[in-house]
Structures are given as C-alpha cells and as structure tokens.
C-alpha cells in the first residue's frame, strides 16, 4: 500500500531516468553564462593566477559540500525548495526556500537579457561568416547602440524566455533532462574544437601562464570574496536549485558521485573557456589594453572581430561559439524557472503547464525592465538602489549575487550541518554506494565548520565593510 502511494507520487512529480540524466541536467544548470561570460572577466579583473587558485579552493571547500547538502535535502524530502526546507528542518526554515525562489525569480529576469544577446550575436556571426566581416566595424559602438534598442532587447529576451518555458512546460524527463542530453554533448564538442584552435595560437602559452601561475601580490581581500561569491553562482548554489533538482533523484543513486561529477565538469568548462578567450586576446598585440577597458563586453565586443582575423577556422567557430553560449544559458535558465515553477506546483497544487505560464509570465515582466535598462528606457536605465549599480539590470545582479545567494547558502549550511541529525545525512549520502566513514566525516567537518565560516565571512565583509564582489 505504502509502496503504491509513493510510486504514484513519484510518477506525478517526475524523476530523472538515470544517474547520467541527473548529472547532465544539473551540470547544465551549473554551466552557463557564469562560466563563459562572468568567470573569464573576473579572472581578468583580478589578474589571473592567484584568483584562480583561490576560486578552486572555494569550489572544493565550500561549493562541493554545499552541492551535496542541497541535493541530499531535496532527495530526502522529495520536495522543491520551500517544501523541502520546511519538511527537513521545520516550518520556519521555509523562509530559506522562499529566499531561494525569490533569487531564482530575480536572477532569471536579468540572465535572460544576456542570453538574448548570445542569440543576436549568433545571427550576426552567421551573417559575417557568410558574407565576410566588414573591415573598420567598431564593435564597441555597435554593441552600445544594440543594447540601447529597447524593443529589440525585449524581443530577444522574450524569445529566450519562451524557449525556457517550453522546456519546463514539458516536465522533468521529457523537458529538462531531454534538453540537457541533447545540448550538453554539442556544447562539449564545440568547446573542445575551440580549445584546440586556441591552443594552436601563439598567445596560448601566455594565456596559460596568466591563468595558472599564481601571483599573490595582485590579489586583494575583495578578490578572495569575489571568488567565493562566484563559486556559488557558477555551481547554482544557495537558492535551492539543487534542492529542487535533487528532489527528482531516485533513492538508489549516489549523491556523492553525482556531486563530484557536476563540480568537476563545471570547473573544467570554466577553465577551458578562460584559456580559449585569453589565448585569443594574448595573440593580438595591443588587445590586452583594449580589453582592460571593457572586461564585461569581452564576449560581445572584443571577441567577434578576433574570430575573423585571428582564430584558426574562425569563420566556422564564430557562429558555433555563440550558439554554444546560448545553449549553455538555456540549460541554466531552465533550472532557474524550474525552482520557481516547482514551488508553485508543490506548494500551491497548480498543474505544471499552468504553473510554467504563470511564473514565466511574471518573470518576463521584470525581464522587460532589465532589457530596457541599457538605455532603452530612461527610468529603467537610471534606477539606482545600491550606490554605483545603476539600472534595473545592475541592481538585480547585485542583489542576487551579493545578498540572496550567500545568505541562502549560509543558512543551508547551518541547517544541514547543525539541524539535521548525523543519521539522516549519513543515510542519504550512503545510498547508492556507502561512503567510507572518513569521507562522510570530511563532508560533515566542511559543512559544519569550513563552509559556514567562509560564507559568513563574505556576509560580514559585504555587510559591514561594504566590499563589493559582484
Ligand atoms: N550556474 C549558472 C551559471 O553559471 C547560473 C545559474 C543557474 C544559477 N541556476 C542558478 C545561479 C541557481 C545561482 C543559482 O551561469
């Protein structure tokens, strides 16, 4: 009887078809604009080596344990963010899930705008590859005027949102997992081609030295905090995305193995992307100074021309690169929408299709404002809540990465480390292959001490000393 009920429940909720399906979906969530757009430019800003090393330490010491914690909360309760926190730790902890749902809402609303840019540049690159790159084109000016075309921005982000909604609409197996199974192999394939092409360029050895040779004199405390904050963002942690994805994981799968795989793949892709971009940049004399002025625009301002002037096989690789960015963004936007939609489905009993339309539609209203905040609409462009973060876009990015994710992550480590019994967490982690006592012991030590102390340090630094790491 009990078996029948739980079986009926799992079919209604949906479940990944296999361990691989889950790993691909979660890796798809993790790999996104954070890896391809944000990581290269913050590495550039922080002058490479030492920053990368600190980032890697954060990924292992904080990211990996929290990844395991989120997945185990989801799998144990078989509920999405809010419901899972309530069930695992008591009604008040539902608030942590609610912060997560809010963060998903906020991040998706601005993320869709940059995702839309990748679609536009994919189209552009197709045109350039077909009819030649016009000489003398000023890509910086071109980008600024493109970003200020409000109507176009709304259409592009709207297309992206529609694609995201159509996947979430189709559910766990038929939508999210299927999309990841198709897009991730393509993404890996394109990235390997780009990587090989980049390694053959003269700038590649300088790029590798820049990325991997630590020079601690160039890294300040704010760089350390930025590395930690980015570890959350890139692994999709701190807002219940992995709780939600974890709730579709079957009991027989190993959380430990899956987490290790997700974290490894995400880190590799970020490093690959950075090696590719820096190899290109270091291969062109004078490019270094130019990029320094607009690290944020590296992807859309510096790179396009280089594809056609410097990169071997650039005519083929340029469109491939921009579609890769779009695919990576899509598997991430899906996870952001899924967190919000799954909350409405689980906690308010709304049917999936209707929930997708409601939440996607509501988020898109905010997206419209973000899309208009690069000059398209004065009020949205000049809006300022945090000093120096002008525009709805900048404000929301700051709010999410500096506040919502670290606060959410901190509370999740506290909850799992201190408010869940050892038996409970050990039995979840043991399913699908028992971890040896020292592995479990190591996780427990990190989740109780190392992770909360480090994340607490970010919050204190941002809250009391005003360090900005967005
Ligand atoms: N990890 C994604 C990236 O690097 C972004 C993302 C998707 C995300 N889902 C998330 C970030 C949940 C924080 C929380 O682009």
């Amino acid at each position: 009887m009990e078996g029948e009920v739980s079986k009926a429940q799992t079919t209604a909720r949906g479940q990944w078809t296999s361990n691989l399906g889950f790993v691909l979906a979660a890796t798809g969530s993790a790999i996104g604009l954070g890896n391809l757009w944000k990581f290269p430019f913050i590495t550039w800003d922080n002058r490479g080596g030492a920053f990368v090393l600190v980032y890697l330490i954060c990924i292992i010491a904080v990211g990996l344990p929290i990844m395991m914690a989120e997945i185990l909360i989801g799998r144990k309760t078989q509920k999405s963010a809010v419901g899972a926190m309530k069930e695992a730790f008591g009604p008040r902890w539902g608030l942590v899930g609610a912060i997560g749902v809010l963060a998903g809402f906020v991040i998706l609303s601005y993320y869709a705008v940059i995702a839309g840019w990748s679609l536009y540049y994919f189209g552009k690159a197709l045109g350039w590859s077909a009819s030649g790159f016009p000489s003398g084109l000023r890509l910086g000016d071109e980008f600024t005027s493109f970003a200020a075309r409000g109507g176009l921005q709304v259409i592009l982000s709207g297309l992206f949102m529609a694609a995201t909604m159509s996947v979430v609409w189709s559910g766990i197996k038929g939508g999210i997992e299927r999309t990841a199974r198709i897009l991730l192999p393509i993404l890996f394939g394109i990235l390997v081609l780009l990587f090989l092409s980049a390694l053959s360029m003269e700038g590649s050895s300088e790029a590798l030295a820049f990325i991997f040779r630590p020079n601690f004199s160039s890294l300040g405390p704010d760089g350390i905090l930025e590395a930690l904050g980015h570890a959350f963002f890139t692994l999709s942690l701190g807002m219940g995305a992995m709780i939600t994805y974890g709730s579709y994981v079957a009991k027989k799968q190993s959380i430990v193995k899956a987490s290790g795989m997700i974290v490894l793949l995400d880190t590799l892709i970020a490093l690959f992307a950075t090696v590719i971009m820096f190899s290109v940049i270091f291969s062109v004399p004078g490019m270094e100074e130019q990029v320094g002025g607009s690290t944020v625009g590296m992807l859309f301002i510096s790179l396009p021309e280089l594809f056609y002037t410097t990169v071997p096989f650039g005519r083929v690789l340029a469109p491939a690169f921009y579609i890769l960015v779009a695919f990576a963004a899509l598997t991430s936007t899906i996870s952001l929408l899924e967190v919000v939609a799954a909350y409405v489905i689980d906690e308010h009993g709304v049917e999936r299709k209707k929930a997708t339309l409601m939440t996607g539609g509501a988020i898109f209203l905010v997206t419209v404002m973000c899309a208009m905040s690069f000059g398209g609409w004065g009020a949205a462009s000049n809006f300022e809540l945090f000093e120096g973060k002008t525009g709805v876009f900048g404000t929301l990015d700051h709010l999410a990465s500096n506040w919502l994710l670290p606060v959410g992550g901190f509370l999740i480590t506290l909850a799992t480390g201190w408010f869940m019994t050892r038996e409970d967490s050990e039995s979840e982690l043991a399913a699908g292959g028992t971890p040896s006592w020292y592995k479990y012991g190591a996780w427990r030590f990190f989740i109780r001490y190392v992770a909360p102390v480090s994340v607490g340090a970010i919050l204190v630094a941002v809250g009391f000393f005003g360090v900005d790491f967005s």
Side-chain angles (χ1 to χ4, degrees):
M1 180 61 195
E2 212 188 315
E4 270 168 41
V5 172
S6 69
K7 196 171 167 200
Q9 273 173 352
T10 39
T11 8
R13 254 185 83 64
Q15 213 174 50
W16 311 113
T17 55
S18 65
N19 202 29
L20 180 69
F22 165 59
V23 169
L24 286 175
T27 305
S29 165
I31 296 174
L33 298 170
N35 306 58
L36 304 173
W37 174 71
K38 216 169 175 183
F39 183 67
F41 88 69
I42 56 179
T43 300
W44 186 267
D45 254 359
N46 288 289
R47 309 303 304 156
F51 174 80
V52 173
L53 188 65
V54 172
Y55 164 80
L56 292 177
I57 295 171
C58 293
I59 289 282
I60 295 170
V62 178
L64 182 61
I66 299 185
M67 175 70 72
M68 289 161 61
E70 285 204 22
I71 298 173
L72 92 79
I73 295 169
R75 209 252 312 259
K76 183 172 157 40
T77 57
Q78 301 281 302
K79 291 205 165 100
S80 57
V82 175
M85 292 302 291
K86 275 190 192 158
E87 183 168 315
F89 308 107
R92 285 199 192 158
W93 288 93
L95 186 65
V96 178
I99 297 176
V101 172
L102 178 68
F105 194 108
V106 166
I107 297 177
L108 180 52
S109 62
Y110 69 82
Y111 201 95
V113 177
I114 315 173
W117 295 349
S118 64
L119 286 182
Y120 179 80
Y121 277 85
F122 169 61
K124 278 265 179 193
L126 280 181
W128 289 327
S129 291
S131 50
F133 188 80
S135 62
L137 187 63
R138 299 180 59 89
L139 282 161
D141 299 342
E142 165 114 343
F143 179 79
T144 312
S145 63
F146 157 69
R149 288 167 67 189
L152 178 62
Q153 291 299 327
V154 171
I155 293 172
L156 289 171
S157 51
L159 280 175
F160 213 88
M161 201 60 122
T164 306
M165 285 165 71
S166 74
V167 176
V168 171
W169 168 284
S170 310
I172 308 307
K173 283 191 191 113
I176 302 178
E177 181 177 331
R178 199 165 65 131
T179 309
R181 277 181 186 271
I182 298 170
L183 296 188
L184 279 196
I186 302 180
L187 192 151
F188 293 146
I190 297 176
L191 209 72
V192 168
L193 290 180
L194 282 159
F195 187 68
L196 294 177
S197 165
L199 283 188
S200 76
M201 301 179 64
E202 351 164 2
S204 61
S205 49
E206 204 177 329
L208 289 171
F210 183 92
I211 299 167
F212 294 109
R213 190 176 298 152
N215 167 11
F216 282 93
S217 61
S218 60
L219 187 71
D222 47 344
I224 296 176
L225 298 173
E226 191 166 19
L228 193 51
H230 186 67
F232 273 99
F233 189 87
T234 192
L235 293 175
S236 303
L237 296 176
M239 54 153 276
M242 292 300 163
I243 295 181
T244 307
Y245 274 25
S247 74
Y248 310 125
V249 174
K251 289 287 180 195
K252 61 180 190 295
Q253 294 173 12
S254 159
I255 293 177
V256 181
K257 277 189 208 146
S259 307
M261 197 65 192
I262 299 162
V263 170
L264 180 71
L265 286 172
D266 183 77
T267 308
L268 282 178
I269 299 295
L271 293 174
F272 266 54
T274 312
V275 170
I276 293 168
M277 273 175 228
F278 291 3
S279 299
V280 176
I281 289 164
F282 281 120
S283 295
V284 183
M287 199 64 208
E288 218 178 315
E289 289 76 51
Q290 217 174 312
V291 168
S294 103
T295 40
V296 181
M298 198 187 273
L299 212 54
F300 302 105
I301 297 174
S302 320
L303 274 187
E305 182 172 2
L306 300 181
F307 269 117
Y308 294 97
T309 52
T310 318
V311 179
F313 307 104
R315 270 175 78 168
V316 182
L317 293 179
F321 175 74
Y322 289 101
I323 201 69
L324 156 93
V325 178
F327 285 172
L330 182 63
T331 49
S332 298
T333 53
I334 293 168
S335 80
L336 290 162
L337 181 58
E338 177 64 21
V339 171
V340 187
Y343 159 70
V344 176
I345 296 169
D346 287 351
E347 300 304 302
H348 298 283
V350 179
E351 184 262 338
R352 173 167 285 272
K353 293 189 167 61
K354 203 169 151 200
T356 306
L357 288 179
M358 278 168 51
T359 53
I363 293 169
F364 185 62
L365 294 179
V366 184
T367 300
V368 169
M369 286 197 281
C370 295
M372 298 283 221
S373 70
F374 293 91
W377 177 31
S381 310
N382 302 326
F383 179 79
E384 187 170 327
L385 184 64
F386 303 105
E387 207 187 317
K389 304 282 159 202
T390 34
V392 174
F393 182 101
T395 306
L396 293 183
D397 184 27
H398 181 86
L399 175 71
S401 13
N402 281 19
W403 291 107
L404 300 177
L405 296 185
V407 168
F410 179 69
L411 294 171
I412 289 170
T413 58
L414 280 192
T416 327
W418 299 91
F419 295 88
M420 184 180 271
T421 63
R422 192 183 175 104
E423 292 68 47
D424 277 354
S425 57
E426 189 161 19
S427 68
E428 269 313 312
L429 290 184
T434 317
S436 44
W437 66 266
Y438 66 87
K439 276 194 202 153
Y440 175 78
W443 173 79
R444 194 165 163 84
F445 176 70
F446 276 88
I447 209 72
R448 278 165 80 91
Y449 303 102
V450 180
V453 169
S454 331
V455 179
I458 310 184
L459 295 174
V460 171
V462 177
F464 295 105
F465 303 110
V467 176
D468 172 23
F469 55 94
S470 71

